[in-house]
């Protein structure tokens, strides 16, 4: 059989153990079907006296990238073994794909192998590290995620561990990255009536409880929001019966209080109906995930705390619903943001930029080293880039290079988008106020005019806006909702800061 081979050994088939094993195999660098097993797979093959390679050869042509074959009863400790194709071992960073192809192949292959074994009702899976334990762990944890909390019949819950003598620290780091990403996925998948602004804030607070010694959580009430004169944020929240929450997280990973923090801001619309500018009913249920930016930011801080990164991070998440009611924003209304700028709200469905405007103003009060905001902001970004990459708008070449470098490693690709004055003029040419919340030409360049609007509330020299609308769903690959890249970026900043300290200390000791 080409894709699946059933082999029953004379060894006792212990299905009660319900353990599985995922092993990797590389494609040949030559134009043939020869096998190149990973170190772990070769070790298993030796234990089996070459039976694994024998079965792979007779079960069909060489195993291609992303494909898998399942063998039963081959190993007495593992009733079911999935062998997955990793592609070519020689691949690395691809200059046209803008990611590390080898890492991405490992993530995708391991994720697929784990899902196959989960469908065989196995409760524990050992995973081949494939010479990159972190990527293998990320693939395993991401691949096994499912949201079935509200279903009577649930998928098998599976535990995983590294097989063999791979890098344990890399595996543990990958598990933390994957778990953080799955928290963001969980919050985005859950129904909006189960994840209100208050529930979202409580969930994040509970997840941060184990790190209370270096994390401070502020759940700001509507009264506080009013005191801060966040008129743009309040104008969106007033249409809903659910009270808004401004979630403020302080992760203090660096004992040097003089270190300026990295500031992360996430759009937290827990359900977006569009308001008075009501969205079409088809697909509106997906707008429960419109707080993907907030989910990413908060989960990234949880991951940073779990990794004990030596950096100070502040996360801000304005949380509310965008609903139609007698109190809601009306097209043509004018509201005042925290910095005093007035905004003509011509489209109530362009609400994300309103709540982010006030959050960005507040962010500057912490003298941040850099500000990065993430938001499922515009359908125009999905039209422009689809699910292939996140659009990045930034006023800083340094920040762009840092984000791009991190994205190559994580596989969450980025593409730099323009912040031309051409787009700024489209939002500042306004009949009634300083700014209009939609561009002069409406849908034309919608993602760019949205970014230009946000820029009107930024004075920091290092700011980046990540429009993650296109990558908010799993369309083609095992995606990570951008958390891994944010966490990786924070890690790089921490390392950079540590190197600076070391150089400073060395200069003094010299």
């Amino acid at each position: 059989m080409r894709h699946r081979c059933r082999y029953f050994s004379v060894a006792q088939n212990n299905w009660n153990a319900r353990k599985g094993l995922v092993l990797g195999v590389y494609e040949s660098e030559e134009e043939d079907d020869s096998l190149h097993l990973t170190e772990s797979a070769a070790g298993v093959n030796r234990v089996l006296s070459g039976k694994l390679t024998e079965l792979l050869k007779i079960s069909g042509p060489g195993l291609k990238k992303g494909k898998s074959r399942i063998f039963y009863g081959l190993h007495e400790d593992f009733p079911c073994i999935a062998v997955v194709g990793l592609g070519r071992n020689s691949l690395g960073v691809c200059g046209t794909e803008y990611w590390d192809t080898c890492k991405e192949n490992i993530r995708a292959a391991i994720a697929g192998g784990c899902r196959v074994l989960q469908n065989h009702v196995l409760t524990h899976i050992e995973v081949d590290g494939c010479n990159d334990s972190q990527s293998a762990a990320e693939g395993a944890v991401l691949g096994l995620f499912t949201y079935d909390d509200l279903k009577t019949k649930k998928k098998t819950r599976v535990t995983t561990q590294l097989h063999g003598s791979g890098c344990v620290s890399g595996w543990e780091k990958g598990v933390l990255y994957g778990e953080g990403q799955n928290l963001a996925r969980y919050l985005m998948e859950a129904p909006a009536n189960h994840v209100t602004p208050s529930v979202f804030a409580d969930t994040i607070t509970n997840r941060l409880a184990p790190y209370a010694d270096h994390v401070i959580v502020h759940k700001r009430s509507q009264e506080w929001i009013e005191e801060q004169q966040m008129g743009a944020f309040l104008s969106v929240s007033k249409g809903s019966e659910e009270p808004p929450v401004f979630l403020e997280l302080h992760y203090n990973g660096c004992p040097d209080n003089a270190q300026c923090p990295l500031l992360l801001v996430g759009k937290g619309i827990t359900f977006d109906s569009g308001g008075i500018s009501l969205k079409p009913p088809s697909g509106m249920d997906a707008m429960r995930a419109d707080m993907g930016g907030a989910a990413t930011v908060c989960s990234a801080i949880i991951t940073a705390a779990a990794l004990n990164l030596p950096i100070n991070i502040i996360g801000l998440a304005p949380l509310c619903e965008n609903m139609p009611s007698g109190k809601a924003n009306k097209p043509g209304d004018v509201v005042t943001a925290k910095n005093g700028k007035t905004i003509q709200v011509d489209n109530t469905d362009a609400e994300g930029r309103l709540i982010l405007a006030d959050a960005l103003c507040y962010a500057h009060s912490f003298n941040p080293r850099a500000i990065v905001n993430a938001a499922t902001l515009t359908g125009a970004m999905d039209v422009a880039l689809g699910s292939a990459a996140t659009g990045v708008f930034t006023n800083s070449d340094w920040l762009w290079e840092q984000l791009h470098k991190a994205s190559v490693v994580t596989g969450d690709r980025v593409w730099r988008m323009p912040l031309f004055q051409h787009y700024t003029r489209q939002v500042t040419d306004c009949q009634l106020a300083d700014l209009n919340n939609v561009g002069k030409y409406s849908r034309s360049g919608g993602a760019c005019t949205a970014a230009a609007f946000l820029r009107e509330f930024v004075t920091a020299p290092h700011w980046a806006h990540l429009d993650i609308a296109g990558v908010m769903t799993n369309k083609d690959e095992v995606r990570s909702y951008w958390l891994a890249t944010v966490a990786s970026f924070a890690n790089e900043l921490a390392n950079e800061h540590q190197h600076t300290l070391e150089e400073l200390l060395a200069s003094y000791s010299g």
Side-chain angles (χ1 to χ4, degrees), residues 408-429:
V408 169
V409 175
T410 64
D412 284 314
R413 294 178 290 196
V414 296
W415 193 258
R416 191 169 186 178
M417 302 291 288
L419 269 178
F420 301 148
Q421 285 297 314
H422 171 83
Y423 301 112
T424 300
R425 287 192 290 270
Q426 291 186 40
V427 295
T428 55
D429 184 4

Side-chain angles (χ1 to χ4, degrees), residues 226-409:
E226 291 170 351
E227 290 173 354
Q228 293 293 316
Q229 298 182 316
M230 295 183 174
F233 179 23
L234 288 167
S235 77
V236 176
S237 68
K238 68 183 181 180
S240 172
E241 292 296 319
E242 291 289 340
V245 177
F246 192 95
L247 187 61
E248 183 178 328
L249 311 176
H250 292 249
Y251 167 66
N252 301 306
C254 179
D256 178 12
N257 292 326
Q259 184 196 119
C260 295
L262 168 64
L263 218 307
L264 304 178
V265 182
K267 172 187 170 185
I269 299 293
T270 58
F271 186 74
D272 182 16
S273 68
I276 297 297
S277 306
L278 195 66
K279 292 178 179 291
S282 176
M284 191 193 290
D285 65 294
M287 290 300 100
R288 66 186 185 274
D290 205 27
M291 42 60 167
T296 297
V297 163
C298 294
S299 298
I301 291 179
I302 293 171
T303 303
L307 291 168
N308 199 29
L309 295 184
I311 186 174
N312 296 331
I313 308 174
I314 297 175
L316 305 177
L319 301 164
C320 69
E321 294 180 338
N322 183 28
M323 298 292 288
S325 76
K327 298 179 181 179
N329 272 336
K330 303 174 294 295
D333 283 359
V334 174
V335 300
T336 304
K338 180 175 171 59
N339 66 350
K341 289 188 177 182
T342 55
I343 305 165
Q344 181 175 336
V345 182
D346 273 357
N347 187 337
T348 67
D349 193 24
E351 84 298 331
R353 65 202 70 180
L354 297 178
I355 70 171
L356 286 173
D358 282 337
L360 287 169
C361 291
Y362 182 62
H364 287 75
S365 64
F366 298 101
N367 187 31
R369 182 179 185 186
I371 301 175
V372 178
N373 72 258
T376 51
L377 202 64
T378 64
M381 182 53 66
D382 186 23
V383 172
L385 298 180
S387 63
T390 291
V392 176
F393 300 82
T394 179
N395 61 357
S396 168
D397 291 339
W398 167 80
L399 189 52
W400 161 252
E401 291 297 332
Q402 294 293 323
L403 290 168
H404 181 256
K405 179 181 176 181
S407 74
V408 169
V409 175

Side-chain angles (χ1 to χ4, degrees), residues 52 78 99 136 147 154 191 203 210 265 293 308 342 362 384 443 456 486:
L52 183 62
F78 303 102
W99 63 17
Y147 182 84
K154 304 180 188 299
T203 300
V265 182
N308 199 29
T342 55
Y362 182 62
R443 295 176 61 86
E456 292 299 301
V486 174

Side-chain angles (χ1 to χ4, degrees), residues 92 103 220 261 277 375 411:
K103 288 179 178 293
R220 309 295 194 181
S277 306

